[in-house]
Structure formats: C-alpha cells, structure tokens
Amino acid sequence: MKKITLTFPDNSTLEAENEVTPITLMNRFDSKNHKILAVKVNNEISSLYSSVNISAYIEPVYDNTVEGAEIYRRSLCFVLATAAHHLFPGARLLVGHSLGYGYYYTIENGKSISKEDLDSLKKEMKRIIDEDKIISADFISYQEACTLFERLGLIETRKQLNYRCPARIRVNQLEDFSDLYFGPLVCNTGVLEVFDLILYKEGFLLRFPSHSNPETLTEFKDQPKLFEIYNRYKKWGKRLNVTSAASLNELIHDRKVNDFIDITETLQTKCISDIADQIQDRGTVKVVLIAGPSSSGKTTTSKKLALQLQALGYKPKVIGLDNYYLSRDRTPKDENGNYDYECLEALDVEMLNQNLVDLFAGKAIKVPSYDFHKGLSYFKGDQMVLEPNDILVMEGIHGLNDKLTPLVPADKKFKIYLSALTQLNLDDHNRIPTSDNRLIRRIVRDAQFRGKSAADTIAMWENVQKGERLHIFPFQNNADAMLNTALDYEIPVLKVYADPLLRCVTPLQKEYSEASHLLQFLSNFSTIPATSVPTQSIIREFIGGSAFHY
C-alpha cells in the first residue's frame, strides 16, 4: 500500500497510508488565536476537506492573512448568492467592485432593493451561517454543468463554458444552490459570522472584515468619486454588451475584438482630454500632481495628459518626485530596520516646496537628481524656469497628500488619482480584483524591463500593497479628478506574457499559491496578440513597444 509523508511547520512529520483529509490534522496546528480556513499543500491552497495523496509540506491558512481573507470573502459571497437564490428566484445577483472593505451588489429584478428586502437577505444569510451548513465541492461533467447553470439562470457562467471547456468542472454546493468559484471556500458556513449588508446607491454593500482585524468590521468610509467612475464604466460596458470574460471571449472568437479595442482606447483618451479641459477651465493651475497605486499606468498617463495639455496651448514640463529623495543617511527606516522609501518623510519636502514657490515666482531653480544605486541626492547642473504658458506635471505616490505641497495654494495645483478599475466580471458572482489586474501588469513589466521573475514580483507585492494602503488610498477623495486606467481588453493581451512567467514558479516556492491563483484567473480568457495594441496605449508601458520614451 502507498505511504505518504506529511511535514508540518514545526518540522514534525506524519506517515500515512494512501491519503489524508486536512480537517483531520487540525491538532497539528495552533488554532487558539485565529481560525484555520484552509491549508497549503506544497504551497497550493486547498480546502480542509480535500484529499492529500502525495508526500507534502502542509501549513494552515489563517483568517488573519491576505490569503485567508480572500477565502473568507469568496465564501461569504457564496452564502449571499445562496440566500438571494432562496429569496429572489429568477433575479440576477450581480457583483461589482470593492468599496470600503465591501463589495457592491445589485439585483436585477426590475426594482431597486428595499430596506425590507435587504433585512430579509441578511436574515437568510445569518440563518445559513448560524446553522453551520456544509459547503461541498464536487466534480461534474461538462454536460451536467451546462444544464445546471442554465437551470439556475447563471447566464454568464453558462456562456463562459462555450470558451472554457474542461471535461469536468468543480462546482460548489450549499443547500440547494450550486455555483462556480475560482478558488477554495471554507468547509462550513459557521466561521463566516462577521459580515453586514448596507443599502448603497441602487444596490447594497456586502461588508467583510479586514485581514488585519478579522473579528470586527471597520467603519465604512465612503468613496463617492471612485464609485461614480466605476458606475460610469459599468454603464458603458452594458451599452456595448461587454460585461464579462465570456462576452469578451465571444468578441475574440468572432474576430470582432479590434473594434472594441479602438472604442476602449478612444474612451480613455477622451477621459484624459476631459481632465485637460478641467485644468484649463480652472485657469490658475501651475502644477498637476498625479498619484495612483503600483502599475496603474502613471507614467503613460502623464505623457498622454501632456499631449492633451499641449493641444490646449500649454507647454508641460516634468519634474519627477523621485528626484527629491533624501540621501540614504537621512532616509527613515521601517519597523524592520529597512529603508522606507514609501513614506513622505523619505522626500525632501522643504526643498520641493521652495523650488515650486520659486518657479511660480518666475525664478530659475536647480533641479536635484537622485542616484538609487548609491542612495545619494546630488545636483548635475539641470535648471528649470517656468514661462507664462508652462505647466508642471509631477507624478508620484504622495501627489494627493497636501502635506507634500503645503506652501502651494490650492488653486495652483490640480490632483489626479489613477486606478485600474475594470468593469468586467468573470461572471455574475466572480469579480476581477483590481489588485490582480495590477499585479499581472507588474509581473509582465518587471520581467520585460527589470529582469525579475514572477516569483520576485509576487514576493514583494504584499509590501507594495501595504504602502498603498498607508500613503495612497487614504487620500483618494482629495483628488480633483479620477481616471480609470484599466482597458477591458488588456488581460487577454497580458496573458500571452504572464502565463509562461507564472508557470515557472515551482511548488517549492511560497509564491506558488499566488501564481496558481493568477493562472486559474487567466485561464478564463482567450488571448489577443500584442500587434493589436496601439503604440500609445497604456498597455505598452508593461509589454513594450510604446511610442513614448520612458
């Protein structure tokens, strides 16, 4: 009989006959302080009820980790979909984008959801959770899946099976409802007690805890500007009838995607043009400050905005905020003793403000430079002066924080926030996380231009996101304008580059779980060749071949 050896985080081992179910191994892990939602088997996330039939390193996935939070949220979405199926049979529950530790949902049943409806939905979810129902996952045939999703009215899920056609499909089941989720779920609903539903706009928010504090919900902080940008794009997608991976795959399959690419690029260019008009209408703006999270396309957007400003008679000049880094002997350190280049204090804010005040007064300034290799701030002789029609464009993570430019009057600065908010979903109940989109962009760019492997990029991604949460996201609502830099055809393009990079991450690396997740995500899309991408597209910033010089 086959024997397998299981190794645990404390380096203890267990020999077993044939196979083991992880739920039977809970005494091997510390579960006093946090809930175990799943396990990693050779760095691949698996359900607690999955079968382990190979020798493996097994570690728990706790609810206070990023991966645990994703499992919690995904499972909570399934409970919501089940409750909606019970209360609103025949109506479409549609997931939208994230907002303040929550997902925005609408129900398409011909009317706006009422407080009474929402209370009933919350009560039904609470029943399912309180009764600690089992969530099972079983494989069914392709034909059975087609029939099942048609019967349940899961239109986009069924449509996707025209373009993603495995012989067997793993389907999740909860009570009398079945659905498809692209990642493991919890095994029992009883662990999902922390949630809330609140009315919002035409729909509602499903709220969930943060991974750093899984026992409670954070206070909801509205982001109305961001929501309006998303809502605008969602309505645009509906008008074009391209709202899901399946509808995009249909365009690719029918060889109609090039028209969609042109429309998508034209819309984004128009949005940038509208922002340039806003800057001109203000009349007093002397500096444009652009900020956004990693891989949101800040560099290309700066260049495209500069072109639009030139068309209006301005002469844009660029100063990089990176030029104002302090020398390493003055750079703050984080809690781990590493240089913290993400914090505002890493910049010479005093010099920056004096330079701006002098420029606006018509004086010439010496532009500083920074040597990242040596960690040294220096001057190499570059000077700058602003003529009457000149306008500064500055791009950097602290652009929306008024502490960056305290000496600059509000009427002289115009702040722009960028975010890659795709309006596409995988299907009715599976959204495309903005962070996944940006991480794939970054993996491709880092490999193309920085010689980094996918594992290298994934390894530093959590720290990147931590910096965004501290230094960018809190200042979103300070923006005078917001721009969505996502292009709804980009994932099929990026897939061509990202797929082989992700396949080089091995099960021996801890980054394997994220690589597997991204590969599964990308498997939902057909491909588009890079030759279809315009040379001035933001996507060129990541895949190369841009008409702009970086």
Side-chain angles (χ1 to χ4, degrees), residues 344-498:
L344 181 64
E345 292 74 19
L347 298 175
D348 194 333
V349 174
E350 183 179 353
M351 181 195 292
L352 171 64
N353 279 264
Q354 189 58 55
N355 281 174
L356 292 176
V357 169
D358 288 343
L359 284 170
F360 300 156
K363 299 178 183 178
I365 66 162
K366 294 180 180 178
V367 181
S369 296
Y370 187 78
D371 186 322
F372 280 92
H373 180 68
K374 296 179 180 178
L376 183 67
S377 176
Y378 67 101
F379 293 95
K380 61 181 180 181
D382 293 341
Q383 290 195 341
M384 180 181 288
V385 64
L386 286 187
E387 303 295 340
N389 287 339
D390 290 349
I391 188 169
L392 281 176
V393 177
M394 303 186 75
E395 171 254 302
I397 64 172
H398 298 289
L400 304 183
N401 186 348
D402 284 324
K403 291 182 179 179
L404 175 73
T405 52
L407 299 185
V408 180
D411 66 327
K412 281 188 165 56
K413 52 191 175 185
F414 191 94
K415 293 172 286 188
I416 304 172
Y417 175 72
L418 308 185
S419 187
L421 291 171
T422 180
Q423 59 86 24
L424 288 178
N425 284 342
L426 293 178
D427 55 32
D428 287 354
H429 299 161
N430 287 274
R431 55 185 291 275
I432 296 177
T434 297
S435 59
D436 281 2
N437 194 356
R438 291 191 292 109
L439 176 53
I440 290 169
R441 281 181 170 187
R442 177 120 184 198
I443 286 170
V444 172
R445 186 189 66 188
D446 284 357
Q448 291 284 97
F449 305 112
R450 300 178 182 178
K452 287 188 176 182
S453 68
D456 290 337
T457 301
I458 293 170
M460 45 76 72
W461 187 243
E462 189 171 345
N463 279 337
V464 169
Q465 290 187 296
K466 178 183 176 183
E468 293 166 354
R469 289 192 295 269
L470 289 173
H471 305 302
I472 299 176
F473 296 150
F475 305 101
Q476 291 173 119
N477 284 329
N478 291 352
D480 297 295
M482 290 189 175
L483 177 70
N484 182 7
T485 63
L487 293 162
D488 285 340
Y489 74 90
E490 70 177 86
I491 294 172
V493 177
L494 294 170
K495 177 180 178 178
V496 176
Y497 298 84

Side-chain angles (χ1 to χ4, degrees), residues 13-227:
T13 60
L14 172 69
E15 281 200 351
E17 302 287 350
N18 204 24
E19 67 177 35
V20 171
T21 304
I23 193 70
T24 64
L25 303 172
M26 291 301 99
N27 63 331
R28 293 276 181 166
F29 309 121
D30 179 10
S31 57
K32 294 177 183 177
N33 299 319
H34 293 285
K35 297 171 185 172
I36 298 174
L37 303 184
V39 292
K40 285 185 183 179
V41 180
N42 291 335
N43 288 311
E44 183 174 26
I45 297 178
S46 300
S47 162
L48 293 177
Y49 285 163
S50 61
S51 293
V52 180
N53 53 17
I54 58 172
S55 293
Y57 179 80
I58 298 184
E59 60 182 312
V61 177
Y62 293 106
D63 61 354
N64 67 331
T65 63
V66 172
E67 291 162 325
E70 289 173 353
I71 295 168
Y72 189 99
R73 296 168 189 181
R74 197 159 48 235
S75 305
L76 200 57
C77 291
F78 188 26
V79 172
L80 171 61
T82 303
H85 171 71
H86 293 162
L87 297 180
F88 310 110
R92 287 181 72 190
L93 176 73
L94 300 176
V95 68
H97 79 305
S98 62
L99 192 73
Y101 288 106
Y103 295 150
Y104 178 67
Y105 277 88
T106 54
I107 295 180
E108 289 193 349
N109 59 357
K111 61 178 182 177
S112 297
I113 190 166
S114 66
K115 184 180 185 303
E116 291 73 23
D117 288 336
L118 199 65
D119 287 344
S120 297
L121 198 55
K122 184 176 178 180
K123 183 178 179 181
E124 179 65 0
M125 287 183 68
K126 194 170 187 310
R127 177 195 69 78
I128 293 169
I129 291 168
D130 288 346
E131 292 180 7
D132 198 19
K133 296 290 185 176
I134 292 175
I135 297 176
S136 62
D138 296 297
F139 284 101
I140 62 175
S141 72
Y142 178 85
Q143 180 59 59
E144 288 175 311
C146 291
T147 303
L148 173 66
F149 297 140
E150 286 172 6
R151 177 174 61 80
L152 292 172
L154 298 176
I155 299 169
E156 295 299 324
T157 308
R158 168 62 187 91
K159 185 178 176 182
Q160 179 69 329
L161 293 181
N162 293 332
Y163 309 102
R164 187 173 183 266
C165 315
R168 60 181 199 155
I169 296 168
R170 192 180 186 91
V171 174
N172 302 102
Q173 183 158 354
L174 175 57
E175 295 192 328
D176 63 342
F177 184 65
S178 298
D179 207 347
L180 202 61
Y181 286 90
F182 302 98
L185 305 180
V186 299
C187 295
N188 297 79
T189 60
V191 298
L192 304 172
E193 65 266 29
V194 183
F195 80 96
D196 196 10
L197 301 180
I198 61 174
L199 287 171
Y200 189 83
K201 305 295 183 181
E202 296 88 8
F204 63 94
L205 293 175
L206 169 63
R207 302 212 63 231
F208 41 72
S210 67
H211 76 273
S212 58
N213 193 3
E215 300 299 324
T216 59
L217 296 176
T218 60
E219 179 185 357
F220 174 60
K221 295 180 180 179
D222 198 4
Q223 298 167 344
K225 292 180 182 178
L226 197 64
F227 178 83

